[in-house]
Amino acid sequence: MLFEQRAVTRTFDTPAFRGMTFFEVQARSIINRVPDASRVPFRWTINPYRGCSHSCLYCYARKSHTYLDLDSGHDFDSKIVVKVNAPDLVRKELAAPRWRGEHIAMGTNVDCYQRAEGRYRLMPGILAALREVANPFSILTKGTLILRDLDLICEAAEVTDVGLAVSVGCADTGLWRELEPGAPSPQRRLEVCAAFTAAGLPCAVLMGPVVPFLSDSPAQLENTVRQIAQAGAASVTPIVLHLRTGAREWFFRWLSEAHPGLVPRYRALYGRGAYAPAAYQKQVTEQVKELARRYGVGRGAPGSGRRGRPRRFAPPAERREDLQTATPQQLTLL
């Protein structure tokens, strides 16, 4: 078990960290291979944290906390594992003869720019190590802390492929407060997208999750896509809510309290598994695709005037239909 490795337990008496516990551990490895059965379009990840203060009710990574004898509910939100040696490990593993310089995805399990990163500052060292060996990488985040490292990311983009994406499922601030109470607002995340676009680096938006019966109305989809376009997003990929074990129980507990009338509809929609029916996913995808065309998503993406050489904003293995909307996939969320 992870905590048997002489973890240092810390709490901080500041408003941002009140009620939270941090377990500082010395990880044995940091560049992790994704299981072959996974649906995600990359093979390697770096996750400097486990658990996440964004507290997203639907987060698929909740189940991973049970491997540490912690629960997938409040413990996942408030008991954060910090791999304090992550930057040194990244440098060491990138230098290993067996490493082949493949693309590395970050922020695909829990957010590498969650609140704890403001105190522990693991990402600058990780990014510097990747830049020094020109190793391609991508970052998916809900956190605005990434702006602290904007210059470092721009420097990396001059020597290797860098992919950037923010996750914004819905622009409705009321729903954000219910579903993602610890994350920055959707508008602040879109400001991150706009800032990277202004700096000359394309930034995509994963419009996920689209939550059935709560954020999937035509008006809500249109409002969200319009704001994504205004932020200068290079593309938008709609992702319908999926509920795996761990997240499923936590989400349904909230749903039964906040929206009890929707419980039967959800049980009908998700009764056979973690994913909504393919027909529903296709319907949402087509709606978002048409809205992206209408509002010109991708037209304002950086082109020949960007800093450094043109770089792709998506992982190399990920296929795209066009600049307006990426091929729909059930990707790993934050």
Side-chain angles (χ1 to χ4, degrees):
M1 179 179 165
L2 185 61
F3 295 137
E4 293 175 351
Q5 301 175 22
R6 297 183 180 179
V8 175
T9 304
R10 295 191 191 278
T11 58
F12 303 105
D13 190 21
T14 60
F17 299 111
R18 194 159 294 143
M20 299 182 68
T21 303
F22 298 91
F23 300 94
E24 300 176 359
V25 303
Q26 297 287 326
R28 295 179 179 176
S29 63
I30 196 68
I31 301 178
N32 305 305
R33 181 162 184 153
V34 177
D36 292 337
S38 176
R39 301 186 182 199
V40 295
F42 43 81
R43 296 179 61 204
W44 301 94
T45 63
I46 291 175
N47 296 296
Y49 301 97
R50 295 183 69 166
C52 186
S53 58
H54 289 340
S55 305
C56 301
L57 295 172
Y58 51 79
C59 182
Y60 101 101
R62 287 183 174 277
K63 184 179 178 181
S64 65
H65 244 44
T66 63
Y67 307 153
L68 308 176
D69 293 336
L70 298 172
D71 70 53
S72 60
H74 289 299
D75 285 352
F76 180 84
D77 300 337
S78 62
K79 296 182 179 179
I80 311 300
V81 178
V82 184
K83 302 173 186 178
V84 292
N85 61 334
D88 292 338
L89 271 182
V90 169
R91 198 175 301 275
K92 176 182 177 181
E93 293 178 17
L94 290 175
R98 64 180 179 276
W99 180 247
R100 296 291 181 250
E102 295 185 59
H103 180 97
I104 296 174
M106 293 178 282
T108 58
N109 190 46
V110 300
D111 204 323
C112 52
Y113 281 103
Q114 62 176 284
R115 207 177 308 159
E117 173 61 16
R119 177 171 289 272
Y120 285 98
R121 299 182 61 88
L122 301 181
M123 287 301 293
I126 293 171
L127 293 170
L130 291 164
R131 178 199 59 191
E132 288 167 12
V133 298
N135 201 102
F137 65 88
S138 61
I139 301 172
L140 170 63
T141 186
K142 283 188 177 78
T144 56
L145 271 169
I146 192 174
L147 293 177
R148 179 200 64 195
D149 298 337
L150 186 149
D151 288 343
L152 188 54
I153 294 169
C154 285
E155 291 171 9
E158 293 184 2
V159 297
T160 191
D161 285 341
V162 172
L164 298 171
V166 295
S167 175
V168 180
C170 180
D172 186 316
T173 55
L175 191 59
W176 152 63
R177 290 190 180 96
E178 287 191 273
L179 290 175
E180 307 162 340
S185 72
Q187 287 69 35
R188 291 183 63 200
R189 289 176 238 166
L190 290 175
E191 288 172 4
V192 169
C193 178
F196 275 100
T197 299
L201 288 180
C203 183
V205 172
L206 294 188
M207 189 174 161
V210 175
V211 185
F213 319 125
L214 289 173
S215 69
D216 62 349
S217 72
Q220 288 171 308
L221 295 177
E222 181 175 3
N223 181 40
T224 302
V225 173
R226 182 178 64 250
Q227 293 190 41
I228 289 170
Q230 291 170 347
S235 69
V236 55
T237 302
I239 304 173
V240 173
L241 175 74
H242 60 279
L243 295 170
R244 302 184 192 176
T245 301
R248 184 185 185 94
E249 295 82 0
W250 193 241
F251 182 87
F252 267 96
R253 175 179 173 179
W254 165 80
L255 191 69
S256 65
E257 296 174 355
H259 303 278
L262 291 180
V263 172
R265 300 178 72 182
Y266 264 81
R267 296 207 182 279
L269 198 64
Y270 290 93
R272 296 186 178 180
Y275 297 95
Y280 176 84
Q281 294 185 46
K282 182 178 180 180
Q283 175 185 337
V284 171
T285 297
E286 291 303 317
Q287 287 179 279
V288 172
K289 184 176 182 178
E290 176 56 34
L291 288 166
R293 286 174 178 162
R294 184 190 310 173
Y295 286 103
V297 174
R299 292 178 193 168
S304 58
R306 58 178 295 185
R307 183 187 305 199
R309 293 179 289 162
R311 297 291 175 183
R312 293 189 294 184
F313 56 84
E318 185 175 4
R319 298 177 59 86
R320 293 177 291 135
E321 289 180 339
D322 49 41
L323 278 176
Q324 281 70 47
T325 181
T327 305
Q329 301 182 58
Q330 285 291 356
L331 297 178
T332 300
L333 295 181
L334 301 177

